[in-house]
């Protein structure tokens, strides 16, 4: 007896070869009907023997295409209608546009094999791709995802490519960027003046790089600066030209084996590295690695990734490892247009390896740190964006503007939320322009008109001003920075109800007009209570003290032990004039803010230990050096700390820790031991505060967030101790603990308040 069912599937099912897979499975089980893309999913209408339908559905669930994920599958019986065969229907042209745009995917195994097969017609073709791999997000002008709406529109397919493209049994069926030597994009090489160079562009590129030149190479979501990673001299030149003296450069490798030669590669890290996302993974460097030391002068780690496009594979096959770092000037957005890349010629790069497939949207490489316990995403961008995340509840359409540093914004709709790629530091004009462009672009491609706009409480954030100037009838919701951090981690884990939120962070604006950043919040999505925080210190000169950690160290010593002790400890490390000015600023409160920031505590310790004299050259540098220097064995002890009850909350005083650090320095104890003890102290202090809070609230769930939790050593110590005391611990795995994650938290909070309001419960502050 014939049965007919309609199957509605939601999840990541578009642009990942889902329909051809359905087609193949249906044919295999002798079923007729059709499959079609639909808003947010795929619809299958299929008929045949009941047992065959069952087998078909279970095969689809068990073995969906590699890059697909099925979130929801609804099956409904229909009256049979005698379909004559099985067909793939084109995407519906009218109806509402698809909310689903797939991320860019790294070169797949099948394409890699063809790419290296001298008998294949795409042997060494730098733009080979198929339904399972290749560019997506970075080439789509407009959804739905079809070739005429991509930057491949101007390449018309040759006969062979077209027959692959139209054959449902072919791996390249409906692969929008499908191309070959005959019909697709091609490489071009330009010299430092922008003049075309003759000869095979790839061959010449390899020669130039081998000769110690710095190249600009067009990638997937932008251009990279590229040079030999084993040549100290050229790496130094790149640092000087890019004005980036210390921050680590990412290194691209040809193969996993090669990564393994230079880095310690765990099973977990390898899985990330070889995934379709192909992020930069920060790995411990092996002692015998021949990598130039100035690739990552501050750490014993290497940010490694694999050649993720065929163009990279071609290059790296000849020459590996290579530095591949975003082509831009510090803090500006990654270059994506030829004119932008051209502007970097002669000043930064010596030549340009270009091609003629336009990049529609910018997308930096994603970055993560992997340990057996944790997956710390430091930048969520290429390969992950614009994959939707799920909110634990349904809300209105929300635009969440994020923060000013490491900016991402988010667009939420019902229970789905899409985070933007990494945008960067909004105080830089070019970056701010990229922010406003990308917001406009997201509203257009995802067809959403926000009803609510969420943004930070900080009155001077550029993102705050943007939100206030562009409100246009939207309801504005202001969200405290650390509440947003905690809510982002809650949302990621689908937590509802209340939690103990620990936000260890740089700085964020508090409703009391001081700068917060070492916060213990009893929080749910709608609201929070600040139940404990670090004892505040003065931040003399505000941003100036963030730039120069010695100023912070001096401030801590003056506050805890008086001027005399501070002068004695500092000796000649700050000039007399500087210390005098600082003392006066602190004493009189001149241009000095009070801060409970945990990040500034790490700065102060790092400076005290002599790990950073002078200005930092990137955000978090002092803390990175402190974490690096800390001994990894468990022999280190910890310092004392004090919990002081003040009014309605608890203050965590680290005065005893700082006096211990000073004493141990005078005793000549090794820096690494002191650094380890400081990590232990903070982990114990955080745990003790959480245990006290549990006594007063009903929850045993602790949520960890804030930029300080990029410190893997601290994170693990905190997790272990909290678990030992019977608390349940949640750390970020999907979005960054740094400010790249707060747009998610802002959106969750705005949606929750909107929901509460619309249900008539007026408990808002
Ligand atoms: Zn492929
Ligand atoms: Zn072709
Ligand atoms: Fe923050």
């Amino acid at each position: 007896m014939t049965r007919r069912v309609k199957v509605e599937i939601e999840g990541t099912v578009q642009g990942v070869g889902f329909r051809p897979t359905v087609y193949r499975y249906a044919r295999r089980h002798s079923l007729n009907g059709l499959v079609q893309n639909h808003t947010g999913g795929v619809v299958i209408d299929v008929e045949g023997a009941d047992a065959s339908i069952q087998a078909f559905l279970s095969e689809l669930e068990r073995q969906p295409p590699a890059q697909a994920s099925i979130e929801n599958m609804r099956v409904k019986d229909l009256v049979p209608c005698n379909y004559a065969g099985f067909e793939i229907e084109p995407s519906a042209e009218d109806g509402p546009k698809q909310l689903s745009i797939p991320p860019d995917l790294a070169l797949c195994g099948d394409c890699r094999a063809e790419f290296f097969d001298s008998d294949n017609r795409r042997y060494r073709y730098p733009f080979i791709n198929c339904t399972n791999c290749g560019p997506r997000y970075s080439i789509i002008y407009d959804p739905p995802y079809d070739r005429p709406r991509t930057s491949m529109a101007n390449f018309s397919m040759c006969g062979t490519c077209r027959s692959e493209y139209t054959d449902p049994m072919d791996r390249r069926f409906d692969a929008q960027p499908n191309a070959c030597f005959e019909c697709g994009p091609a490489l071009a090489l330009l010299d430092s003046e922008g003049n075309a160079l003759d000869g095979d562009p790839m061959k010449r590129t390899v020669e130039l790089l081998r000769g110690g030149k710095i190249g600009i190479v067009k990638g997937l979501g932008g251009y990279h600066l590229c040079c030999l990673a084993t040549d100290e001299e050229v790496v130094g030149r790149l640092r000087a030209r890019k004005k980036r003296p210390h921050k680590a450069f990412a290194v691209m490798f040809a193969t996993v084996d090669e990564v393994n030669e230079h880095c310690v590669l765990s099973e977990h890290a390898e899985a990330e590295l070889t995934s379709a996302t192909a992020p930069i993974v920060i790995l411990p460097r092996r002692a015998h690695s021949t990598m130039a030391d100035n690739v990552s002068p501050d750490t014993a780690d290497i940010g490694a990734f694999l050649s993720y496009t065929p163009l990279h594979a071609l290059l790296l096959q000849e020459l590996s490892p290579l530095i591949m770092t975003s082509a831009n000037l510090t803090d500006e957005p990654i270059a994506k247009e030829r004119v932008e890349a051209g502007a970097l010629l002669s000043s930064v790069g010596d030549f340009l390896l270009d091609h003629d497939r336009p990049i529609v949207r910018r997308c930096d490489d994603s970055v993560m740190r992997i340990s057996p316990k944790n997956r710390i995403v430091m930048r969520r961008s290429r390969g992950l964006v614009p994959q939707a995340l799920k909110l634990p509840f349904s809300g209105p359409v929300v635009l969440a503007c994020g923060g000013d540093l490491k900016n991402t914004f988010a667009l939420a709709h019902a229970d789905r939320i899409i985070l933007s790629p990494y945008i960067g530091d909004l105080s830089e004009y070019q970056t701010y322009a990229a922010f406003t462009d990308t917001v406009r672009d997201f509203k257009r491609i995802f067809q959403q008109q926000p009803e609510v706009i969420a943004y930070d409480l900080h009155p001077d954030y550029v993102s705050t001003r943007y939100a206030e100037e562009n409100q246009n009838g939207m309801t504005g919701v202001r969200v405290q920075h650390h509440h947003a951090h905690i809510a982002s981690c809650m949302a990621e884990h689908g937590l509802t109800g209340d939690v103990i939120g620990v936000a260890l962070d740089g700085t964020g604006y508090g409703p009391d007009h001081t700068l917060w950043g070492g916060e213990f919040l009893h929080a749910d999505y709608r609201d929070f209570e600040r139940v404990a925080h670090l004892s505040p210190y003065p931040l003399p000169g505000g941003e100036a003290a963030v730039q120069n950690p010695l100023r912070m160290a001096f401030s801590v010593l003056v506050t805890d032990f008086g001027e005399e002790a501070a002068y004695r400890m500092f000796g000649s490390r700050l000039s007399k004039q500087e210390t005098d000015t600082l003392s006066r600023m602190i004493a009189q409160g001149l241009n000095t803010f009070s801060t409970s920031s945990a990040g500034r505590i790490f700065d102060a310790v790092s400076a005290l230990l002599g790990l950073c004299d002078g200005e930092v050259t990137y955000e978090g540098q002092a803390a990175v050096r402190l974490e690096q220097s800390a001994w990894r064995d468990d022999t280190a002890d910890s310092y004392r700390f004090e919990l002081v009850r003040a009014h309605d909350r608890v203050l965590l005083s680290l005065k005893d820790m700082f006096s211990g650090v000073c004493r141990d320095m005078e005793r000549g104890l090794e820096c690494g031991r002191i650094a380890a003890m400081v990590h232990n102290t903070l982990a114990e202090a955080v745990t003790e505060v959480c245990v006290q809070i549990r006594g007063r609230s009903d929850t045993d769930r602790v949520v960890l967030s804030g930029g300080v939790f990029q410190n893997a050593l601290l994170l693990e110590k905190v997790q272990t101790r909290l678990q030992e005391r019977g608390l349940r611990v949640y750390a970020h795995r999907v979005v960054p603990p740094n400010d790249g994650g707060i747009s998610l938290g802002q959106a969750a909070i705005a949606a929750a308040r909107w929901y509460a309001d619309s249900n008539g419960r007026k408990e808002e502050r």
Side-chain angles (χ1 to χ4, degrees):
M1 195 181 123
T2 299
R3 185 183 171 202
R4 176 180 168 214
V5 295
K6 182 177 175 187
V7 189
E8 292 173 318
I9 302 177
E10 288 173 348
T12 309
V13 290
Q14 293 182 13
V16 290
F18 203 86
R19 289 176 303 159
T21 301
V22 168
Y23 178 92
R24 283 193 289 275
Y25 290 178
R27 293 275 291 256
R28 186 179 307 164
H29 295 286
S30 313
L31 299 171
N32 293 337
L34 57 89
V35 57
Q36 189 173 31
N37 275 344
H38 241 265
T39 312
V42 158
V43 176
I44 308 168
D45 183 344
V46 70
E47 71 182 353
D50 186 30
S52 305
I53 289 181
Q54 298 289 353
F56 163 76
L57 291 177
S58 86
E59 184 167 14
L60 195 58
E61 265 188 300
R62 253 191 357 262
Q63 290 180 309
Q67 298 314 323
S69 86
I70 297 177
E71 277 169 23
N72 198 356
M73 195 160 168
R74 273 189 305 274
V75 182
K76 211 164 72 187
D77 272 281
L78 298 177
V79 181
C81 69
N82 282 317
Y83 278 116
F86 196 91
E87 267 171 60
I88 298 176
E89 296 276 299
S91 305
E93 282 283 341
D94 29 326
K97 289 201 178 180
Q98 323 287 340
L99 194 74
S100 159
I101 289 181
D104 297 319
L105 303 171
L107 183 63
C108 75
D110 290 337
C111 286
R112 199 176 277 269
E114 291 177 358
F115 180 78
F116 287 118
D117 171 9
S118 56
D119 290 336
N120 193 279
R121 72 185 190 95
R122 290 192 181 85
Y123 175 54
R124 293 169 65 88
Y125 179 56
F127 303 94
I128 184 172
N129 66 80
C130 73
T131 326
N132 301 318
C133 73
R136 302 281 189 276
Y137 173 75
S138 63
I139 60 164
I140 298 174
Y141 289 115
D142 254 316
Y145 178 46
D146 267 326
R147 187 161 175 125
R149 296 185 194 82
T150 70
S151 64
M152 287 297 292
N154 290 334
F155 298 93
S156 94
M157 272 182 269
C158 69
T160 321
C161 284
R162 178 152 300 279
S163 67
E164 293 167 340
Y165 181 82
T166 48
D167 174 8
M169 299 309 272
D170 194 281
R171 196 171 94 249
R172 296 195 166 85
F173 171 75
D174 222 18
Q176 309 307 342
N178 189 29
C180 72
F181 281 109
E182 211 177 301
C183 65
L187 297 175
L189 190 66
L190 310 177
D191 69 12
S192 63
E193 257 91 68
N195 303 314
L197 285 169
D198 290 339
D200 176 354
M202 192 48 81
K203 232 169 140 183
R204 288 283 288 141
T205 295
V206 171
E207 285 164 15
L208 288 163
L209 290 173
R210 203 170 264 145
K213 298 288 187 207
I214 296 170
I216 304 173
V217 175
K218 190 170 186 177
L220 215 45
Y223 288 81
H224 281 128
L225 284 161
C226 164
C227 71
L228 288 175
T230 46
D231 179 346
E232 187 126 13
E233 192 275 322
V234 65
V235 176
R237 210 168 346 116
L238 176 60
R239 289 204 172 281
R241 290 188 189 175
K242 210 184 167 199
K243 299 185 177 64
R244 177 158 147 168
H246 304 119
K247 195 176 181 187
F249 284 136
V251 181
M252 188 178 271
F253 294 86
T255 63
V256 173
D257 286 345
E258 208 191 2
V259 174
N260 212 357
E261 269 170 44
H262 291 270
C263 309
V264 182
L265 186 59
S266 70
E267 204 180 304
H268 296 278
E270 180 174 339
E272 293 289 351
L273 211 57
T274 56
S275 71
T277 300
I280 297 167
V281 181
I282 298 173
L283 301 169
R285 174 188 171 144
R286 288 193 195 276
H288 64 255
S289 162
T290 52
M291 197 73 61
D293 286 336
N294 54 353
V295 168
S296 57
D298 282 352
T299 73
D301 295 332
I302 290 172
F305 58 156
L306 291 171
S307 53
Y308 57 83
T309 72
L311 189 160
H312 292 127
L314 195 55
L315 179 56
L316 270 287
Q317 192 206 9
E318 302 294 328
L319 207 55
S320 173
L322 293 172
I323 302 257
M324 284 283 176
T325 184
S326 304
N328 55 3
L329 295 173
T330 302
D331 295 336
E332 289 190 357
I334 185 168
K336 77 173 176 72
E337 306 286 343
R338 178 180 292 191
V339 286
E340 295 169 340
L344 298 170
L345 273 176
S346 77
S347 62
V348 188
D350 299 313
F351 68 93
L352 175 60
L353 179 62
D354 207 359
H355 64 71
D356 51 359
R357 186 182 71 205
I359 298 173
V360 175
R361 344 199 124 67
R362 262 175 250 282
C363 205
D364 283 82
D365 294 313
S366 294
V367 184
M368 48 185 82
R369 277 182 103 164
I370 303 296
S371 71
K373 254 191 178 171
N374 287 302
R375 176 180 189 264
I376 307 176
V377 178
M378 302 168 85
R379 191 156 77 196
R380 183 180 180 276
S381 237
R382 178 187 48 77
L384 297 168
V385 168
Q387 227 169 65
L389 304 176
K390 230 174 148 64
L391 289 173
F393 45 81
S394 260
V397 181
V398 182
L399 170 63
C401 300
D404 269 17
L405 287 175
K406 296 189 165 66
N407 176 273
T408 69
F409 66 85
L411 203 52
H413 166 240
D415 65 346
R416 298 174 82 75
I417 179 162
I418 297 170
L419 267 65
S420 77
Y422 168 85
I423 291 181
D425 179 355
L426 298 189
S427 65
E428 192 70 34
Y429 176 74
Q430 301 289 346
T431 310
Y432 178 69
F435 167 82
T436 55
D437 282 355
T438 313
V439 169
R440 214 173 305 125
D441 179 47
F442 263 51
K443 288 199 283 198
R444 192 179 57 84
I445 57 174
F446 297 114
Q447 292 281 297
Q448 297 297 336
Q449 252 339 298
E451 307 156 71
V452 175
I453 185 164
Y455 55 103
D456 200 274
L457 213 54
H458 202 309
D460 298 328
Y461 266 9
V462 180
S463 52
T464 300
R465 255 174 283 146
Y466 168 84
E468 288 179 340
E469 284 163 15
N470 294 277
Q471 209 135 322
N472 308 333
M474 290 183 273
T475 308
V477 176
R478 302 190 72 168
V479 180
Q480 199 280 325
H481 190 94
H482 302 103
H483 188 204
H485 271 304
I486 298 306
S488 77
C489 191
M490 289 173 68
E492 182 182 298
H493 289 282
L495 298 181
T496 51
D498 61 337
V499 301
I500 301 167
V502 181
L504 301 187
D505 202 25
T507 48
Y509 192 80
D512 60 357
H513 312 294
T514 71
L515 296 173
W516 294 11
E519 310 306 313
F520 298 81
L521 311 178
H522 181 209
D524 57 19
Y525 288 108
R526 284 186 300 141
D527 213 343
F528 70 91
E529 187 195 349
R530 190 191 196 197
V531 284
H533 58 86
L534 289 180
S535 279
Y537 287 103
L539 189 67
E543 190 55 27
V546 180
Q547 287 305 315
N548 188 346
L550 274 175
R551 283 173 161 242
M552 195 62 216
F554 186 78
S555 165
V556 166
L557 296 189
V558 169
T559 307
D560 284 347
F561 315 112
E563 278 186 28
E564 215 168 293
Y567 279 104
R568 184 163 47 80
M569 275 308 289
F570 266 84
S572 58
R573 295 171 64 196
L574 284 166
S575 71
K576 175 89 172 79
Q577 193 199 341
E578 226 171 326
T579 46
D580 286 349
T581 310
L582 285 175
S583 309
R584 207 174 48 247
M585 287 172 81
I586 293 166
Q588 299 171 7
L590 287 172
N591 192 23
T592 290
F593 309 85
S594 173
T595 184
S596 54
S597 160
R600 299 292 82 80
I601 298 292
F602 277 84
D603 283 1
V605 174
S606 183
L608 267 177
L609 291 178
L611 296 171
C612 50
D613 281 333
E615 305 247 312
V616 295
T617 63
Y618 61 91
E619 197 206 346
Q621 183 177 21
V624 165
R625 288 185 174 176
L626 186 68
E627 180 191 354
Q628 279 294 316
S629 72
W631 285 359
R632 291 301 196 271
D633 60 9
D634 271 333
T635 60
D637 210 347
S638 59
Y639 295 110
R640 290 194 317 180
F641 57 87
E642 205 184 347
L643 302 187
V644 188
R645 191 159 285 277
H647 308 293
D648 53 341
R649 58 179 103 112
V650 172
L651 291 188
L652 166 53
S653 163
L654 296 172
K655 184 176 172 178
D656 291 343
M657 179 185 88
F658 278 107
S659 80
V661 169
C662 293
R663 195 180 56 237
D664 283 344
M665 282 175 67
E666 279 170 321
R667 287 201 303 153
L669 212 67
E670 302 90 330
C671 166
R673 176 181 286 272
I674 299 177
M677 285 172 71
V678 166
H679 279 80
N680 290 343
T681 310
L682 280 157
E684 279 165 26
V686 164
T687 305
E688 204 48 54
V689 175
C690 290
V691 168
Q692 285 210 3
I693 297 173
R694 172 175 53 183
R696 296 201 287 140
S697 64
D698 278 336
T699 181
D700 62 350
R701 300 184 301 182
V702 179
V703 169
L704 307 176
S705 189
V708 170
F709 283 114
Q710 292 170 101
N711 180 330
L713 181 65
L714 181 75
L715 176 60
E716 296 217 352
K717 285 178 187 286
V718 170
Q719 285 169 318
T720 309
R721 284 165 178 77
L722 285 169
Q723 279 158 356
E724 280 167 7
R725 302 294 287 272
L727 289 150
R728 282 185 287 167
V729 191
Y730 300 87
H732 286 280
R733 299 188 70 85
V734 176
V735 304
N738 62 41
D739 286 4
I742 71 170
S743 56
L744 170 59
Q746 289 173 343
I749 289 166
R753 289 191 186 157
W754 182 90
Y755 182 81
D757 272 358
S758 61
N759 282 277
R761 283 181 293 151
K762 296 280 184 191
E763 294 164 40
E764 304 312 305
R765 296 175 317 140

